[in-house]
Amino acid sequence: MSTGLIIALIVIVAAVLVVAAVITLRTRHPQHGRSLKRRFGPEYDRTVARHDGDEKAAERELTERVERHGSLREQPLEPAERQRYEARWTAAQERFVDSPREAVAEADRLLAELAEARGFPGGGKYDEQFAALSVHHAHHVHGYRRVHTADGGTETEDMRAAMVEARALFEDLVGAPGKREESRTPTDGAHPDAGQPRDGRSDSRGHLPWAFNRRQAKGS
């Protein structure tokens, strides 16, 4: 066998090994880069920010979330159970007028209970529950973070915005398994105003509108 042929075979074998290694890496880490950005949306950017701009560290965290919770299957709610959750959310919205902090705290509790009822981690383990929710409801999970982290120093208008944003996740969770109703993001094909306050109107589930005005809330 000539030297040239031996060299050619070595080059071919090396190229095959490189291609195989690349394919293996992609198979083992399918969620990196663009696919993670598509899956997590704004949550991807928030995670990068929490890691001080370190995308690799953020992607490792998000990949771990997917590996831990990606196979989770959401459990359906019975109609009566769904109605109870909707009634409690409506009551929290009404309570916001006079007691915004208590209303936000109730929204936080309600989301935790509803998520657990749908099959997400419970038992008061907020971080684990949030991580699981971010895998399956990435575009709306930030509302849960906002109501959970609201405290005595949070302004009323910020609490109002947190309640509105959290409602989108509530509507995702209270819906039928695999179905994203009004609260879907515009890129999912839903109306762009989904999950936003509907002053003066009720929505398809009979929620009371966010009809209270800003002066009432500020005076609470």
Side-chain angles (χ1 to χ4, degrees):
M1 183 179 293
S2 67
T3 302
L5 183 56
I6 292 174
I7 294 174
L9 288 174
I10 292 174
V11 170
I12 292 172
V13 170
V16 170
L17 291 175
V18 169
V19 171
V22 170
I23 293 174
T24 300
L25 287 173
R26 289 182 176 178
T27 301
R28 290 180 179 177
H29 304 285
Q31 301 299 328
H32 280 228
R34 293 182 180 178
S35 60
L36 276 173
K37 291 181 180 180
R38 286 194 300 269
R39 177 162 195 160
F40 284 93
E43 184 63 16
Y44 178 94
D45 296 327
R46 296 185 190 103
T47 306
V48 171
R50 285 196 302 101
H51 285 279
D52 298 322
D54 188 341
E55 290 191 0
K56 296 299 183 183
E59 289 174 2
R60 282 195 297 271
E61 177 184 330
L62 295 175
T63 298
E64 289 173 1
R65 293 190 201 179
V66 174
E67 290 174 349
R68 290 201 311 272
H69 305 294
S71 61
L72 184 148
R73 294 293 177 266
E74 296 181 54
Q75 303 301 311
L77 295 176
E78 295 294 332
E81 193 177 14
R82 182 179 297 110
Q83 289 175 0
R84 285 195 296 271
Y85 283 119
E86 290 176 338
R88 286 178 60 188
W89 188 268
T90 296
Q93 289 186 167
E94 291 177 323
R95 191 177 186 183
F96 189 95
V97 178
D98 298 315
S99 304
R101 300 192 192 286
E102 288 80 0
V104 168
E106 170 60 14
D108 179 33
R109 288 190 295 270
L110 179 54
L111 286 173
E113 293 175 23
L114 176 55
E116 185 172 3
R118 292 300 306 272
F120 290 92
K125 298 179 180 179
Y126 165 77
D127 290 338
E128 192 71 6
Q129 187 180 71
F130 182 91
L133 284 167
S134 73
V135 173
H136 297 272
H137 300 275
H139 289 273
H140 297 142
V141 74
H142 188 55
Y144 185 18
R145 179 189 282 122
R146 293 186 67 181
V147 296
H148 185 77
T149 57
D151 55 28
T154 306
E155 297 292 335
T156 300
E157 287 304 312
D158 291 334
M159 288 189 287
R160 181 198 304 277
M163 286 284 287
V164 171
E165 191 169 0
R167 177 174 170 173
L169 177 62
F170 172 81
E171 290 181 343
D172 259 6
L173 291 174
V174 84
K179 182 178 181 181
R180 301 292 179 264
E181 300 180 344
E182 297 170 35
S183 59
R184 293 179 299 178
T185 59
T187 54
D188 291 329
H191 191 280
D193 292 332
Q196 300 300 315
R198 299 167 175 81
D199 292 341
R201 300 188 303 276
S202 62
D203 65 20
S204 61
R205 294 193 187 91
H207 289 302
L208 291 180
W210 283 73
F212 56 86
N213 59 45
R214 295 176 182 270
R215 183 171 58 185
Q216 285 178 303
K218 286 183 178 179
S220 58

